[in-house]
Amino acid sequence: MSDTTHEEHHDGPHASGMWRWLTTTNHKDIGTLYLVFSLIMFLVGGTMALIIRTELFQPGLQLVDPHFFNQMTTMHALVMIFGALMPAFVGLANWQIPLMVGAPDMALPRMNNWSFWILPPAFLLLLGTLFMPGGAPAGGWTLYPPLILQTGDAFPFVVFSLHMLGASSILGAINIIVTITNMRAPGMGFMKMPLFVWTWLITAYLLIGAMPVLAGAITMLLTDRYFDTSFFLAAGGGDPVMFQHIFWFFGHPEVYILILPAFGIISQVIPTFSRKPLFGYVSMVIATSAIAFLSYVVWAHHMFTVGMPAAGMLFFMITTMFIAVPTGVKIFNWLATMWRGSISFETPMLFAVAFVILFTIGGFSGLMLALVPADIEYHDTYFVVAHFHYVLVPGAIFGVIAGVYYWLPKWTGHMYNETLGKWHFWLSTIFVNILFFPQHFLGLASMPRRIPDYSVQFTEFNMISTVGAFGFGLSQLLFVWMLVKCVKGGEKASTEVWDDPQGLEWTVPSPAPYHTFETAPKV
Amino acid sequence: MKPVRRKGGNRRLVLTLGGAVAGMFAFAFLLTPMYEVFCELTGLDSERLTRATRPAGSAVAAEIDENRTITVEFLTNTMNPAAWEFQPGDLSIEVTPGRTAETVFFAENLLPHDVISVTRPSVRPLEAVSHVSKQVCFCFEEQAFAAGERRELPMRFTIDSELPAHVETVTLAYTLFTAEPGIGGS
């Protein structure tokens, strides 16, 4: 392996066409594959969301039948979580982590290729279930038994595709941990690593702790259905609530897997455009670790209404509210970084600032949901939908978009079209609020989630929300157009790209050569 | 300067992380017994106490509180309404704490072949759970039904006088499942 890379010194890819992408072990190629895959899945999952919102434009049943509606809500979640967000973060990690720690590539390049190429067949299985007798899974992405066990022929396909997606994430996580632990440039101690690298290191440990638990839970579902076990079947002495405990033991760390890398991106972007070093670096690292630790002891706050002793509710309510402390530390550190900075608002910075504000809204509604007496009222209403979409769309997705705009000139060697970027930002930000903000009111007025019909007093807010959905969805086509234009050409990007940014990735030429840091840089 | 590539370190770290993955996979399966142990040690999960309602003949607070009546409601559910008809004989009865009460349930096998049922009980509110004791209950064991058979299922229980004063209504719910033979009662 190391011999061939030496001979190919400064050369491009070893093969061309499709074969190059299938066999590549280059972290930049694999990063690109992940990012393109995630963009496609983002559009697929977005289309499903638009089907949902179209049906909800008016009360009554217009477009789809309720069973298909439920398939859409389930598949939208699975595609967005496992297809769009997680691969986007792994793609950014692949591109950026070796560049940011001064490593020539990921530590395990062949495993890296494998962890990407598990994804397309997994999604072929998952999306294929839409065409199977009985349709795609329709019991919600949380897969609660006994409902999910009533899925038609699609059931084992869903389970196997989730197994494959889990395997892909675990392989990716192992690779990232090994790269960060063993391949940092000399002089780069752990407390000198950029925050994106830190948050990914912690995320990778979360993945290793959480994904195998999901694999265990769905394996038990599989044996309950096909091999006469009764892990979750009450008739055989099992306990359906047990599934919820196991699922959320995975599920809560999972939501931090979806946000911590975004925290890292924002911590890179804000200092660059504030022209100040990040405020409170050490507290950022500690806060991220604290969030990761707490994420393992809060899971049952998803289950306040399924029945739990008061002591349990109190425990999970208090630990959940504790999370606001390290999260608040991060928010205030970002604000303090901007404080008296020489700020300029290029597109990545705009998305980062919007992230800080809108993610905080999602954080606050999360605090409201953490309160047991309030949660019993909000549970399974659109308030919950509004909450997690605020943290995942203008939260996690805006984080990814900020990162893409920030590093795109380094990847392609061209500046993106700033006007197009600004349009994309303003349209996305305005429409995402039109889309999700009214859902708070719908939820407070008790509109239940996952139901294709609603009573007429909810009509206006649903109409506004649907208009926002189409506006937001169509604005993303601007993003795709901007990406295509930037890959094809544009103003030549300098090595530094931005105004004196910090970090090793800004010391290699733009576009970053196929092989970088074959000689380790000195930090 | 040569890049630092700690080859041996990679192998060891990958094996450690792989071990952690395997460990967490096993942990998912261990969670079930761990919950049982945890709940038993802390006495937190009253739901589990429901299932293991005190066996017939065990001691109950013998004191009879004539000044109090408690409304006991009965609920029935079945996972497969096409296969079972399952109804309480009384929707609710008035019970004196400490005094044994009786009611019946009716179950009918709607299928043209023999089946076995198991029934899972549940008590609400949770604070009443440890104060309800059943002396006779069809939920203690599997019930065999011939094709089309309809049967009366008697139930005898006592609510002890230590039931917290503010609890005026207790709900006993039963969910009936078709069972594979040998799957066991609660």
Side-chain angles (χ1 to χ4, degrees), chain A residues 126-395:
Chain A
L126 187 64
L127 295 173
T129 60
L130 281 165
F131 307 100
M132 287 176 189
W141 83 279
T142 51
L143 311 170
Y144 284 180
L147 184 59
I148 199 70
L149 296 173
Q150 294 169 19
T151 306
D153 293 356
F155 182 74
F157 292 89
V158 178
V159 169
F160 287 137
S161 77
L162 285 174
H163 273 139
M164 288 164 79
L165 296 170
S168 162
S169 310
I170 289 167
L171 293 178
I174 290 178
N175 209 344
I176 286 165
I177 293 177
V178 178
T179 307
I180 297 174
T181 311
N182 286 352
M183 296 193 47
R184 279 167 292 124
M188 182 174 280
F190 272 106
M191 291 315 278
K192 281 187 181 169
M193 295 193 313
L195 246 132
F196 179 68
V197 179
W198 251 117
T199 53
W200 239 118
L201 180 64
I202 293 165
T203 306
Y205 276 108
L206 283 181
L207 279 166
I208 286 188
M211 295 309 291
V213 177
L214 174 69
I218 57 179
T219 306
M220 287 183 244
L221 283 180
L222 197 70
T223 59
D224 267 7
R225 169 134 165 190
Y226 293 106
F227 300 103
D228 290 335
T229 59
S230 301
F231 287 107
F232 310 126
L233 298 179
D239 184 352
V241 174
M242 195 63 223
F243 177 85
Q244 301 187 19
H245 279 292
I246 302 174
F247 179 86
W248 286 112
F249 188 88
F250 142 81
H252 206 78
E254 170 70 15
V255 308
Y256 291 99
I257 289 165
L258 296 175
I259 199 65
L260 290 186
F263 285 173
I265 296 164
I266 301 306
S267 305
Q268 302 298 134
V269 171
I270 287 183
T272 298
F273 296 96
S274 305
R275 291 162 182 82
K276 273 176 66 189
L278 184 71
F279 184 90
Y281 174 88
V282 178
S283 67
M284 282 298 211
V285 174
I286 295 171
T288 313
S289 315
I291 293 173
F293 171 76
L294 285 171
S295 77
Y296 278 111
V297 291
V298 298
W299 74 92
H301 68 205
H302 297 267
M303 305 164 52
F304 285 147
T305 59
V306 302
M308 205 187 302
M313 292 202 204
L314 266 176
F315 173 81
F316 288 109
M317 175 170 89
I318 291 167
T319 49
T320 304
M321 297 183 75
F322 269 142
I323 296 183
V325 178
T327 313
V329 167
K330 299 190 79 90
I331 305 273
F332 283 113
N333 280 345
W334 289 322
L335 295 181
T337 308
M338 285 190 268
W339 182 254
R340 298 203 165 167
S342 168
I343 303 181
S344 59
F345 290 99
E346 283 88 347
T347 310
M349 183 61 167
L350 286 173
F351 274 103
V353 173
F355 172 96
V356 175
I357 298 166
L358 299 177
F359 177 80
T360 306
I361 293 179
F364 276 134
S365 56
L367 266 180
M368 292 167 74
L369 288 164
L371 298 162
V372 175
D375 179 75
I376 289 166
E377 175 76 23
Y378 303 151
H379 185 82
D380 260 348
T381 69
Y382 260 79
F383 192 80
V384 179
V385 177
H387 157 67
F388 66 72
H389 280 96
Y390 257 89
V391 290
L392 288 177
V393 184

Side-chain angles (χ1 to χ4, degrees), chain A residues 1-2 6 104-109 111 146 150 163 170 173-174 177-178 181-186 205 208-210 212-217 219-220 228 230-232 234-239 242 245-246 249 296 299 306-309 311-312 517-522, chain B residues 1-36 38-39 42-48 51 79 117-120 124 126 142 175-180 183-186:
Chain A
M1 179 66 220
S2 56
H6 267 285
D105 205 310
M106 297 294 279
L108 311 157
M111 192 170 95
Q150 294 169 19
H163 273 139
I170 289 167
I174 290 178
I177 293 177
V178 178
T181 311
N182 286 352
M183 296 193 47
R184 279 167 292 124
Y205 276 108
I208 286 188
V213 177
L214 174 69
T219 306
M220 287 183 244
D228 290 335
S230 301
F231 287 107
F232 310 126
D239 184 352
M242 195 63 223
H245 279 292
I246 302 174
F249 188 88
Y296 278 111
W299 74 92
V306 302
M308 205 187 302
F517 296 128
E518 290 191 302
T519 309
K522 237 189 157 149
Chain B
M1 200 184 287
K2 294 283 295 173
V4 207
R5 297 205 105 196
R6 285 156 250 190
K7 272 279 174 197
N10 282 5
R11 174 178 294 272
R12 208 170 52 235
L13 192 52
V14 170
L15 289 177
T16 315
L17 295 171
V21 169
M24 288 310 291
F25 185 72
F27 178 72
F29 288 84
L30 280 176
L31 271 171
T32 310
M34 278 167 62
Y35 265 104
E36 308 245 355
F38 179 79
C39 293
T42 57
L44 271 181
D45 187 0
S46 12
E47 193 64 0
R48 244 165 251 283
R51 283 192 217 116
M79 290 297 285
S117 77
V118 289
T119 311
R120 300 296 169 200
R124 285 293 182 279
L126 286 176
E142 293 175 0
T175 308
L176 184 143
F177 299 90
T178 307
E180 301 298 319
I183 212 164
S186 61

